[in-house]
Amino acid sequence: MKILAIETSCDETAAAVVEDGRTVLSNIVASQVEEHIIYGGVVPEIASRRHIEAISGVVDTALKGAECDFSDLDAIAVTHTPGLIGALLVGVNYAKGLSYATGLPLIPVHHLRSHIAANYIAHPKLEPPFLSLVVSGGHSHIIRVDDYTCFETLGRTRDDAAGEAMDKVARALGLPYPGGLNMDRACSHGNAGAYKFPYPRVEGSEYDFSFSGLKTAALNQINSAKQKGEEISLEDFGASYMKSVTVCLVDNTLRAARDFGFKKLVLAGGVSANSHLRRGFEAISQAEGYELFMPQLPLCCDNAAMVGSQAFYEYKAGNFADLTLNACATSAIEG
Ligand code: KG4
Ligand code: ZN
């Protein structure tokens, strides 16, 4: 079964053709990063405009790359939630138009479900049940995945997402957007013990995260060093900070894995590309006997191949939409 998938939830305009949920026939991503760099973050209005300009070319290129036309396809899939509302609407309306014009069924896909599904492409033998940590610019969720379309959120951030907390500190250190990625590039070999940060816990909720205190502690250290004219070692500071974020993510995920008896751990989302996080999970999985799955780096960040993968399982579960489908800025993964 071949599905054309479209993703426009944030600042990547993406389209892909995926066969049977696991084989990527084409995967095209038009990034807008260059447009947003001067603002230090994504400007929603600009993102929507760029999606409108790019989407038809990106979809055509994905179809050509897969050597397909619409008669070869079985469905059209699109990310409809969560994300920037104006950005999501571009993809949703384009997909609805294609579905109406071709008569192909329309499959709505939840963005976090698709991030998890990136692992079905990366690891063709991976099957639920497993425990997943989804960490991106907007989300930090510990999710039990009992089946391809059956999810339960066990823990989540109470304030900033891990990616957001990294992006803001990276910006204060003078690194360009996207901060988390650039901090990882600049600091992955720094001394992670050089600077000390708190390890925040959320009282009464052992799987939830809180990154805003950690972020504020880091920003205070940067500001106070500036005021005193002291130099901060970018490499060591960034490494120490990424280690602190990683410790929080690893600790809570392992607690949930132990409590709920999961031996398979699956990382997903843009922040799962982080070298500290990957090394931290690799070390603990080896020491404690967990089977660890992570997407290859290009599949960690937003792309449409992951949407096409999840869409295959949504199709099999009969989860279709009609032309009243709307975009939604926030919604739970449980659906
Ligand atoms: O999943 P994603 O592409 O978009 C959202 O759904 O938000 O994630 C983007 C986030 C950004 O915060 C970016 O800084 C972060 O992922 N990111 C990283 C790395 N690569 C991307 N954070 C830390 N280390 C990385 N290597
Ligand atoms: Zn994402």
Side-chain angles (χ1 to χ4, degrees), residues 309-325:
S309 174
Q310 181 60 27
F312 173 71
Y313 299 102
E314 302 288 348
Y315 186 112
K316 295 222 293 190
N319 295 336
F320 299 104
D322 61 23
L323 295 178
T324 62
L325 178 68

Side-chain angles (χ1 to χ4, degrees), residues 148-199:
Y148 290 102
T149 57
C150 181
F151 303 84
E152 187 189 348
T153 303
L154 301 177
R156 54 184 299 166
T157 183
R158 293 292 184 93
D159 37 59
D160 290 354
E164 202 178 347
M166 287 212 196
D167 289 347
K168 287 189 177 146
V169 169
R171 190 173 172 179
L173 288 170
L175 292 164
Y177 169 81
L181 171 62
N182 287 314
M183 181 151 57
D184 197 14
R185 283 183 181 152
C187 312
S188 67
H189 296 297
N191 173 6
Y195 292 84
K196 302 285 171 237
F197 298 106
Y199 291 106

Side-chain angles (χ1 to χ4, degrees), residues 94-115:
Y94 200 83
K96 278 165 48 171
L98 289 181
S99 167
Y100 180 70
T102 59
L104 289 166
L106 181 63
I107 306 173
V109 177
H110 190 285
H111 188 57
L112 298 193
R113 292 188 182 197
S114 68
H115 269 304

